[in-house]
Amino acid sequence: MEAVIIVDVLRRAGAEVIVASVEPQLEVEAAGGTRLVADTSISKCANEVFDLVALPGGMPGSARLRDCEVLRQITSKQAEGKRLYGAICAAPAITLLPWGLLRRKQMTGHPAFMDKLPTFWAVASKIQVSGELTTSRGPGTSFEFALSLVDQLFGESVAKEVGQLLLMQADDDTQRKEEYNKVEWSFDHNPRVLLPIANGSEEIEIVAIVDILRRAKVDVVVASIEKSVQILASRGIKIVADKLIGDAAESVYDLIILPGGNAGAERLHKSKVLKKLLQEQYTAGRIYGAVCSSPAVLHRQGLLKDKRATAHPSVVTNLNNVSNGAKVVIDGKLITSKGLSTVTDFALAIVSKLFGHARTRCVAEGLVFDYPRS
Ligand SMILES: *[C@@H]1O[C@H](CO)[C@@H](O)[C@H](O)[C@H]1NC(C)=O
Ligand SMILES: *[C@@H]1O[C@H](CO)[C@@H](O)[C@H](O)[C@H]1NC(C)=O
């Protein structure tokens, strides 16, 4: 989530972002088992000058970054040259600290790593900007972290504009969720979720849904509706699915969830295999949902009939029974959300329906995401 949110948000702001692998190969397995394909190898970046070097957290990822000598040199040059560098989650304590790049600077990090940071300099704020260094706490603070980097690179007005694109309302009066026709979503087995993805799907939504559901121990299958398992997401991140939709269609899923992204949603809509799976899901009374532009796909396939839903503001007017305001709307066995920054609430709402409040609080805490006590 951290890597993908940083890349996506910076690219939306207009930055040229290079995703570099410190592994011998370009494909890496991120936390939560998401497979991402980097743009290049770190060795190709050794002699370049960057305006920002940003380090995602995650374990053992942060230790793998720390052990990469080329990356250490790039980041040290960055600090010496008084250019921006940033780290989130485990990365301040596990990567920057041993490199000596936190010296005499206030910093923050994931709560689980705070005791490793120098006591006098560690602060518990979501974002800490100390000269060239910016640090933050975890997946749940990644949007704010990325926006702070946008602010420092492009200025406040661009940061504000991007924040609006991400649907990050400053107010918190937007209600978290609304529920109609309440029914239980509980299973006597570990729930299985199908997440179909396509070229042009929104990477933030894919990765956040997969990561958060897997943290809650849900069995998630990511299936590509393209000819290959590798898809090219909307902001240029390459994601490798677990299987192709044709193979995934041999099983039955407790939930089918569609990520958004305009072009991706259009491609999902055109998949005949997926259309059949969604119809079966609906007819059998099983759970389904969508975020961002994808509730429009459900609508076009007749799956929102008599149901209350929400979607990205750009498509919401096309739905006929829109709920006003809430980030997440549940109607019986349907769940929809506005998308982008609301995806964390969306995924947590699924966890809450499946397992209840206590497990959801626990997952939210690990993400360092503000979640209500009751
Ligand atoms: C989808 O993306 C993959 C991976 O980047 C690419 O190989 C493929 O050609 C794309 N498919 C279409 C139909 O654009
Ligand atoms: C809108 O959704 C509500 C809640 O599920 C439902 O009772 C109502 O019939 C729906 N209205 C329309 C016009 O579909």
Side-chain angles (χ1 to χ4, degrees), residues 198-200 226-233 237-239 267:
N199 286 0
E226 303 294 347
K227 289 196 179 69
S228 63
V229 282
Q230 183 178 317
I231 66 108
L232 185 62
I237 295 201
K238 293 172 216 134
I239 297 176
R267 295 188 67 76

Side-chain angles (χ1 to χ4, degrees), residues 350-368:
I350 296 174
V351 174
S352 175
K353 282 298 290 179
L354 292 172
F355 304 110
H357 192 72
R359 192 181 304 187
T360 316
R361 278 269 303 167
C362 180
V363 171
E365 246 174 64
L367 297 169
V368 200

Side-chain angles (χ1 to χ4, degrees), residues 69-109:
E69 179 55 20
V70 180
L71 178 61
R72 189 192 66 77
Q73 286 172 11
I74 291 172
T75 318
S76 298
K77 265 195 304 186
Q78 194 74 6
E80 281 157 25
K82 302 253 177 263
R83 292 187 303 272
L84 302 179
Y85 62 111
I88 184 166
C89 197
I94 302 302
T95 316
L96 290 182
L97 183 66
W99 287 349
L101 296 182
L102 293 180
R103 226 167 279 144
R104 307 187 60 77
K105 286 183 187 299
Q106 288 202 308
M107 78 221 39
T108 190

Side-chain angles (χ1 to χ4, degrees), residues 260-281:
N262 281 333
E266 199 53 42
R267 295 188 67 76
L268 292 179
H269 178 57
K270 292 201 174 116
S271 161
K272 293 205 175 73
V273 181
L274 178 58
K275 186 174 283 177
K276 186 159 170 279
L277 281 174
L278 285 168
Q279 288 296 339
E280 285 167 4
Q281 196 76 1

Side-chain angles (χ1 to χ4, degrees), residues 4 63 87 127 136 148 170 185 211 266 270 274 325 328 341 348 364 371 374:
V4 166
I127 308 288
S136 184
S148 166
W185 294 9
D211 184 49
E266 199 53 42
K270 292 201 174 116
L274 178 58
V328 180
S341 68
L348 288 173
Y371 195 76
S374 54

Side-chain angles (χ1 to χ4, degrees), residues 187-244:
F187 298 95
D188 55 5
H189 56 272
N190 212 9
R192 298 197 75 205
V193 175
L194 176 67
L195 189 82
I197 63 174
N199 286 0
S201 289
E202 173 52 55
E203 45 270 74
I204 288 179
E205 292 162 0
I206 298 172
V207 170
I209 294 167
V210 171
D211 184 49
I212 294 171
L213 294 183
R214 284 190 181 150
R215 279 169 190 258
K217 308 271 179 268
V218 174
D219 177 8
V220 184
V221 174
V222 181
S224 165
I225 62 122
E226 303 294 347
K227 289 196 179 69
S228 63
V229 282
Q230 183 178 317
I231 66 108
L232 185 62
S234 75
R235 302 290 146 181
I237 295 201
K238 293 172 216 134
I239 297 176
V240 182
D242 302 318
K243 42 178 85 167
L244 297 175

Side-chain angles (χ1 to χ4, degrees), residues 21-172:
S21 167
V22 304
E23 303 293 344
Q25 73 289 342
L26 293 185
E27 185 179 320
V28 300
E29 188 175 313
T34 305
R35 290 187 290 155
L36 304 171
V37 182
D39 302 319
T40 189
S41 146
I42 193 72
S43 55
K44 300 246 169 70
C45 304
N47 301 315
E48 290 199 44
V49 176
F50 298 97
D51 299 305
L52 165 72
V53 174
L55 309 177
M59 288 300 281
S62 289
R64 299 290 299 162
L65 298 186
R66 175 198 63 208
D67 295 341
C68 174
E69 179 55 20
V70 180
L71 178 61
R72 189 192 66 77
Q73 286 172 11
I74 291 172
T75 318
S76 298
K77 265 195 304 186
Q78 194 74 6
E80 281 157 25
K82 302 253 177 263
R83 292 187 303 272
L84 302 179
Y85 62 111
I88 184 166
C89 197
I94 302 302
T95 316
L96 290 182
L97 183 66
W99 287 349
L101 296 182
L102 293 180
R103 226 167 279 144
R104 307 187 60 77
K105 286 183 187 299
Q106 288 202 308
M107 78 221 39
T108 190
H110 193 280
F113 294 91
M114 284 303 267
D115 62 346
K116 298 205 163 41
L117 293 172
T119 320
F120 183 70
W121 299 96
V123 286
S125 56
K126 280 189 184 174
I127 308 288
Q128 182 61 40
V129 181
S130 306
E132 300 77 39
L133 171 70
T134 304
T135 48
S136 184
R137 311 210 81 184
T141 65
S142 298
F143 284 104
E144 285 118 312
F145 179 60
L147 268 195
S148 166
L149 298 174
V150 169
D151 187 343
Q152 295 175 64
L153 288 168
F154 295 96
E156 201 179 324
S157 68
V158 175
K160 202 167 160 226
E161 212 174 290
V162 174
Q164 280 163 357
L165 285 177
L166 296 168
L167 309 178
M168 291 174 71
Q169 283 98 342
D171 60 66
D172 259 272

